[in-house]
Amino acid sequence: MIIRSILRPAFTGTVALTTGLAGLLTLLPASVSTPTATAATTTSTLAAGSRADPGREVSRPADPSLLYRPGTHVRAAAGAPAPPKDVSALSWVVADARTGAVLAARDAHRALPPASTLKTLFAVTVLPRIPSDARHSVTEADLAGIGDGSSLVGVAPGQTYDVADLWRGVFLSSGNDAVRVLAGMNGGWDSTITQMQAKARELGAKDTHVVSPDGYDEPGQVSSAYDLAVFGRAGLALPAFAEHCATVEAQFPGRDGSTFGIQNTNKLLTGAGGVERYRGLIGVKNGYTTNAGNTLVAAARRGDRTLLATVMNPQSGASQAVYEEARTLLDWGFAAAPAVTPVGSLEPPRPPTPPRRAAEEEKQGPVARAGRATGPGTDSVRPAAGARATAAEAGAGAGAGHLAAVTRSGPADEPSAPFGYIVPIAFIGAACLAALALFLVRRGARRRREPADPRGMRPLP
C-alpha cells in the first residue's frame, strides 16, 4: 500500500507532464507543423477578414500544378475585387514582377503562337552576349531569310550600325531585319535558336518551342502566357532591356548619315491609335501575326509595386482589344494585390542538390539541412532601377498596397524546412523527461521500501 501510494501520484504527474507538453504542441499554428492545404477549386476565397501584414510579404504554398489546369485561377480574400470577366483572351496572366508571384491567370500554360512577343526571349538571351559598344557593317547575307510580310525597321546593306540602334529597331519597330543582323552577330540563326531554347528552360519556361527567333509564324513555334511573363520579368532585370522597352520614340540611322524617326508599336505606352496611355507603363512588347492574333506583355509600376500582364489572342473582335484587356487586368492587379494569395510563381525551379553536398548534409542532420535551406540566396529578381517609363507615374491607387502573399523563391508548395522537425523533436523531449521522472520516482520508492544498515547506512543483504 505504501509503495502504491508513492508510485500513483508520481505516475500521475508524469502522465500529466507528457499530456501537457502534447497539449502545447497542439497550440502550434497549423502552418508551422504542416504545409497549408492548396485551393481545391478554380476560384477560392480566403477567410473573411484575413489580411497579410503589409510590412512582411509571405506566401502561402500553392499547388504548382494549379496553373496547368484549365480555367481562371485566383485566391482572393472576402471582399476583394474579382478578376474581370470581360477579358476575351485565350490565355492571360497577372503577376508581380518583383516577387514573381502570379496573382491570377487563365489557361496560363496553353501553348499558343507568340508572334513578336517572342522577341522578349530573343533579347533576354542575346543582349548580354553582344558588347553594348559593338558596331556592325550589314551585308546582304545578314538580311537573307526574312519572312514575307515581316515588320521592318529599315536596316540597309552596306550601312554600319551601333548595336544600340539595332536593339531600338527590335524593341520599337519590332524589326525582323534587326533581329536577323543581331542573330548573325550572335553566332548565327540556328545557334541563336539553340541558345534561346536553353535560356527558356533555364528560366523555367517549359511551354516555349523556338523555330524563328523573331516570332515569325512557323509550324511548331509556340509559347504561353506564363512563359512570356517569365521572359518579361527576366528582361526587366536587364537595364538595357528595361530602357529599350520603355522608349517611345528614337532616331534610326539612314543612308548618307541621315536619320529618321521610329516610334514604339506598343500603343499602351505611346497612346497612339486612339489607345489611352496607361499610367506608369514601362513596356514590354507587343506582337501580331495572322496566326497568333494580337499578343502583348505589358509592365506597369505604381509606387513600389510593378505588375506584369500577358494577353494572348483576344477573341472579342473589338478594336485594340489586346491593349484594353491588358489595361483591365493591370487595373485589377493593382487594386486586388493586397487581398490575394498567389496561385503560382514565375520563379524558376531550384536546381537539384549535387550528390556530394546532399551526402554531407545527410551526415550533418536535419537541423543543419534546415538552416541551409533557409539561408541566403533566395531573393527574387527585381526590375532594373534604370528603366525609363515615359508614361507619367503616380502613387498607388486606393486599392494598391503591399501584396498580401508573395511566393518564396523555389517550389511554391514546399514548406519551410525547419517546421517539419518541430513536432518529432518536441515529442522525443517529452518522452525523455517522462522517462527520467519515472526513474527518479522508482528509485526513491525502492530506497524507502528497503531497511538500512544502521552501521554503514547501506541496505541489508
Side-chain angles (χ1 to χ4, degrees):
M1 293 294 293
I2 295 175
I3 296 173
R4 184 179 301 174
S5 64
I6 293 173
L7 289 178
R8 180 177 297 169
F11 178 74
T12 303
T14 303
V15 173
L17 174 62
T18 306
T19 305
L21 288 172
L24 288 174
L25 290 172
T26 61
L27 297 178
L28 290 173
S31 60
V32 171
S33 58
T34 57
T36 305
T38 58
T41 57
T42 299
T43 302
S44 60
T45 303
L46 304 180
S50 61
R51 296 184 63 184
D53 181 359
R56 184 186 178 198
E57 298 182 347
V58 181
S59 69
R60 300 184 181 185
D63 184 349
S65 67
L66 184 63
L67 294 181
Y68 284 92
R69 303 173 193 169
T72 301
H73 302 286
V74 62
R75 299 163 72 190
K85 297 181 179 180
D86 57 347
V87 176
S88 67
L90 294 180
S91 67
W92 53 263
V93 164
V94 180
D96 189 304
R98 181 178 67 84
T99 65
V102 178
L103 308 184
R106 176 184 178 186
D107 294 341
H109 288 284
R110 181 173 177 176
L112 294 167
S116 285
T117 52
L118 191 62
K119 290 183 173 78
T120 56
L121 175 59
F122 173 75
V124 167
T125 305
V126 179
L127 252 173
R129 299 176 61 89
I130 301 178
S132 59
D133 58 351
R135 289 174 60 82
H136 182 75
S137 296
V138 177
T139 66
E140 293 283 356
D142 290 332
L143 301 174
I146 296 176
D148 294 338
S150 290
S151 54
L152 305 172
V153 65
V155 176
Q159 288 282 103
T160 299
Y161 296 90
D162 292 336
V163 70
D165 289 324
L166 295 172
W167 281 118
R168 282 188 282 270
V170 171
F171 279 94
L172 275 66
S173 299
S174 201
N176 289 4
D177 48 355
V179 172
R180 284 276 171 175
V181 174
L182 288 166
M185 296 174 66
N186 184 53
W189 196 248
D190 292 339
S191 176
T192 299
I193 291 173
T194 301
Q195 293 169 26
M196 289 173 64
Q197 197 67 63
K199 188 66 173 180
R201 295 299 176 264
E202 175 189 327
L203 294 172
K206 301 178 181 180
D207 306 319
T208 299
H209 180 64
V210 182
V211 179
S212 184
D214 53 11
Y216 190 81
D217 279 338
E218 293 286 357
Q221 178 155 278
V222 293
S223 189
S224 67
Y226 177 91
D227 285 13
L228 293 175
V230 168
F231 304 151
R233 180 181 184 234
L236 290 175
L238 302 174
F241 183 111
E243 179 180 356
H244 290 319
C245 77
T247 301
V248 175
E249 296 176 337
Q251 291 293 309
F252 194 81
R255 295 185 181 277
D256 303 322
S258 64
T259 62
F260 57 91
I262 58 175
Q263 185 180 58
N264 202 311
T265 57
N266 183 351
K267 296 177 182 178
L268 209 58
L269 177 70
T270 64
V275 176
E276 182 182 353
R277 281 185 176 184
Y278 190 79
R279 177 167 62 93
L281 198 82
I282 56 174
V284 179
K285 188 74 186 75
N286 61 304
Y288 172 80
T289 66
T290 53
N291 186 37
N294 285 287
T295 57
L296 176 65
V297 183
R301 182 179 298 133
R302 293 184 183 177
D304 60 353
R305 190 184 303 283
T306 302
L307 295 184
L308 280 162
T310 304
V311 179
M312 299 193 75
N313 199 355
Q315 300 294 293
S316 69
S319 176
Q320 317 297 354
V322 71
Y323 299 109
E324 297 307 324
E325 293 188 6
R327 182 195 310 277
T328 299
L329 291 171
L330 287 170
D331 283 345
W332 173 84
F334 283 115
V340 298
T341 297
V343 293
S345 175
L346 301 180
E347 282 285 308
R350 291 180 179 177
T353 304
R356 179 179 297 178
R357 177 177 168 186
E360 292 175 356
E361 292 180 356
E362 188 66 29
K363 292 179 181 178
Q364 294 173 3
V367 175
R369 292 197 303 273
R372 197 182 306 273
T374 57
T378 57
D379 289 341
S380 299
V381 176
R382 293 175 180 269
R388 179 161 56 92
T390 53
E393 295 187 13
H402 286 280
L403 184 62
V406 177
T407 56
R408 295 180 293 112
S409 60
D413 62 336
E414 180 182 346
S416 296
F419 295 163
Y421 300 103
I422 290 179
V423 173
I425 290 174
F427 271 113
I428 290 171
C432 291
L433 289 174
L436 177 61
L438 185 59
F439 169 75
L440 294 175
V441 169
R442 287 180 174 176
R443 182 178 178 184
R446 186 170 63 252
R447 286 184 174 181
R448 291 186 182 92
R449 182 183 61 198
E450 298 173 347
D453 182 358
R455 291 171 297 176
M457 299 305 291
R458 293 191 303 268
L460 295 174

